[in-house]
Amino acid sequence: MNEPEGLRFRRVNRPQIITDETHEPQYKGTSTYSGKVFKVTLLTLGGFVLFPLLVVVFILESPIQPEAFSLNEPPLMTGCFEPNLKLRQAERLLEDQLVGPESIANIGDVLYTGTSDGKIVKIDGRKITVLATLGQPPCGSREQEHVCGRPLGIKVGPNGTLFVADAYLGLFEVNPVTGESTLLVSTRKMVGGRRLSFVNDLDVTQDGKKLYFTDSSSRWQRRDYLNLIMEATADGRVLEYDFETKEVTVMMENLRFPNGIQLFPDEESVLVAETTMARIRRVHVAGLNKGGMDTFIDNLPGFPDNIRRSSSGGYWVAMSAVRPNPGFSMLDFLSQRPWIKKLIFKLFSQDMLMKFVPRYSLVVELQDGGTCVRSFHDPHGMVAAHISEAHEHNGHLYLGSFRSPYLCKLDLSKV
């Protein structure tokens, strides 16, 4: 064996250094096979999960048939609308003793309100007394609400009695002492060829001859108010009840969720919160302009609920949801995207969707010309949540709510 051959032989038999890389080729085929099995399994499971979802999306019918509409860009929250924490100075009253005190009226220092379990209650200091029950038990759940009744707007008439708008049952006059109730207008009554489906708020003239009220929708009931907001159909009306003739007349129609209503001082027109459109309309119900309508204030920073007089001659407007600017307003975004609304309502219930609505309470005081005077805020609704009305009495603002288990009281001298 010559030297070159010996060198070649030694090189061939040199010991090898064993590393992880050395064994990699031995397992490469197995690893690839396991990866394929994992991918197939994952895709199969994904198919089982996605298939029912696709059925929901493409086959099931959406409960709402939304219309596209336009909202102006929300106003900047500056100046009069500058965010603050003034509503957090409010005091909670009667916490966990009543639920959903939507609207408030007072006779002297005694307060009256309607609750989510169908009752009209009298509040004298810290004492709550059930004054009247308009519907029939059982009460307390969404499924029972249309039978139990849901008192919403409440006002004191010129004769000292209470007038109540029940969303499901109609308009009532209630004796504030005895609790005796008289049905004035039943929701079974056909008005203008349509039933009253969502009686919401009311106001009474000083001579006691006329009562004006809102019917928020001919399609949706109060328990489906979120459907009404998202569908945005213009099927709401303002109506007049004549105490002498007992007749109901349509004063204005084709409104998108007409909500709170308040007579003008001259009583020839009423202010109506058109919630979906984030504005307040002025409907002329008497005088030379009877039958007409104009805009009192447009493009509010939130979605208005009830409207009530302020001691300065202006109006308190309550809002439980805002259109933040700067920020993102979901309802503004969805207004021109009805297909997304349909999809959302196929996938989620109203209760689930309400959890995604940011809680932001806002009360603004407007002057006669629709100019903002001042505003009170509670970002995140930490003290006053889901507010529906601001009722002023004796230097305080009492805040109603359509779902919170309390009233709030704000001392105006401190804000």
Side-chain angles (χ1 to χ4, degrees):
M1 180 183 299
N2 57 33
E3 185 177 353
E5 289 176 347
L7 289 173
R8 285 196 298 272
F9 178 81
R10 285 194 295 272
R11 291 191 190 104
V12 171
N13 290 279
R14 283 176 180 171
Q16 296 183 5
I17 298 173
I18 300 175
T19 65
D20 291 340
E21 287 78 8
T22 307
H23 297 279
E24 184 178 0
Q26 299 178 23
Y27 300 99
K28 187 173 182 180
T30 304
S31 177
T32 302
Y33 176 75
S34 299
K36 288 180 179 178
V37 171
F38 175 76
K39 289 178 181 178
V40 171
T41 304
L42 184 62
L43 290 173
T44 303
L45 291 173
F48 280 117
V49 173
L50 289 175
F51 182 73
L53 183 61
L54 293 174
V55 170
V56 170
V57 172
F58 294 107
I59 297 179
L60 291 183
E61 185 177 355
S62 173
I64 63 171
Q65 301 301 319
E67 296 180 359
F69 64 98
S70 296
L71 289 170
N72 294 325
E73 181 181 351
L76 287 172
M77 296 189 79
T78 58
C80 184
F81 299 135
E82 184 75 34
N84 56 60
L85 303 176
K86 292 182 177 180
L87 284 184
R88 291 189 184 172
Q89 298 182 42
E91 173 191 4
R92 286 186 178 180
L93 304 177
L94 309 167
E95 193 162 6
D96 296 325
Q97 296 181 54
L98 76 177
V99 178
E102 165 93 10
S103 180
I104 306 156
N106 73 280
I107 299 176
D109 290 332
V110 178
L111 304 179
Y112 299 86
T113 188
T115 57
S116 61
D117 56 357
K119 296 182 177 69
I120 299 169
V121 299
K122 173 181 177 181
I123 303 171
D124 190 353
R126 299 284 178 173
K127 181 182 178 183
I128 301 178
T129 305
V130 177
L131 180 67
T133 302
L134 302 178
Q136 299 295 324
C139 299
S141 72
R142 179 183 181 278
E143 291 71 24
Q144 299 158 344
E145 195 174 274
H146 67 294
V147 177
C148 175
R150 178 58 168 104
L152 297 178
I154 184 168
K155 287 284 182 72
V156 178
N159 58 352
T161 60
L162 300 171
F163 291 94
V164 180
D166 187 287
Y168 300 94
L169 306 176
L171 299 177
F172 290 83
E173 185 173 7
V174 180
N175 186 305
V177 178
T178 66
E180 180 183 358
S181 60
T182 303
L183 179 61
L184 303 176
V185 180
S186 171
T187 50
R188 296 179 181 179
K189 183 180 180 65
M190 298 290 288
V191 180
R194 290 145 61 183
R195 284 190 59 178
L196 305 174
S197 296
F198 188 170
V199 178
N200 199 323
D201 195 21
L202 53 80
D203 203 0
V204 186
T205 58
Q206 287 301 305
D207 61 11
K209 293 183 178 180
K210 300 289 179 68
L211 183 153
Y212 297 98
F213 66 103
T214 52
D215 182 30
S216 295
S217 175
S218 298
R219 170 170 161 77
W220 297 107
Q221 294 183 320
R222 196 220 75 95
R223 54 184 172 172
D224 295 315
Y225 69 90
L226 194 58
N227 289 17
L228 172 57
I229 291 173
M230 296 294 277
E231 192 170 72
T233 48
D235 65 340
R237 302 181 289 178
V238 174
L239 304 107
E240 174 192 86
Y241 172 71
D242 189 307
F243 283 91
E244 295 179 349
T245 65
K246 314 297 182 186
E247 293 297 320
V248 179
T249 306
V250 178
M251 305 305 295
M252 186 58 61
E253 52 189 352
N254 301 322
L255 296 171
R256 299 182 194 270
F257 199 168
N259 200 330
I261 188 170
Q262 174 65 53
L263 274 160
F264 239 60
D266 63 9
E267 298 193 340
E268 290 191 353
S269 58
V270 291
L271 295 180
V272 180
E274 194 174 12
T275 300
T276 303
M277 301 303 295
R279 66 187 176 191
I280 296 175
R281 305 284 254 169
R282 182 175 179 178
V283 178
H284 299 273
V285 295
L288 295 176
N289 295 318
K290 182 178 180 178
M293 180 172 66
D294 50 59
T295 300
F296 180 74
I297 183 171
D298 197 12
N299 203 33
L300 286 163
F303 299 94
D305 200 326
N306 284 353
I307 308 168
R308 293 296 184 264
R309 292 266 181 86
S310 71
S311 59
S312 66
Y315 304 91
W316 293 112
V317 181
M319 304 176 222
S320 64
V322 298
R323 308 164 62 214
N325 187 9
F328 175 72
S329 171
M330 177 61 74
L331 289 179
D332 282 69
F333 173 77
L334 294 175
S335 63
Q336 296 188 33
R337 297 169 175 84
W339 65 274
I340 298 182
K341 292 183 183 180
K342 283 186 175 182
L343 176 60
I344 289 172
F345 272 78
K346 287 181 180 182
L347 299 176
F348 302 102
S349 66
Q350 286 192 80
D351 290 339
M352 179 64 70
L353 290 173
M354 278 300 296
K355 296 178 181 179
F356 293 99
V357 178
R359 294 204 303 183
Y360 193 120
S361 296
L362 172 63
V363 173
V364 299
E365 184 181 10
L366 304 176
Q367 289 179 335
D368 191 25
T371 305
C372 178
V373 178
R374 52 181 169 169
S375 65
F376 307 143
H377 303 239
D378 183 357
H380 312 298
M382 294 181 66
V383 175
H386 308 297
I387 59 172
S388 52
E389 180 176 301
H391 174 82
E392 185 176 349
H393 170 60
N394 197 25
H396 293 82
L397 210 55
Y398 291 87
L399 305 173
S401 172
F402 61 92
R403 63 182 299 173
S404 295
Y406 50 78
L407 277 172
C408 280
K409 179 182 178 181
L410 179 68
D411 188 340
L412 290 173
S413 67
K414 297 181 178 179
V415 292

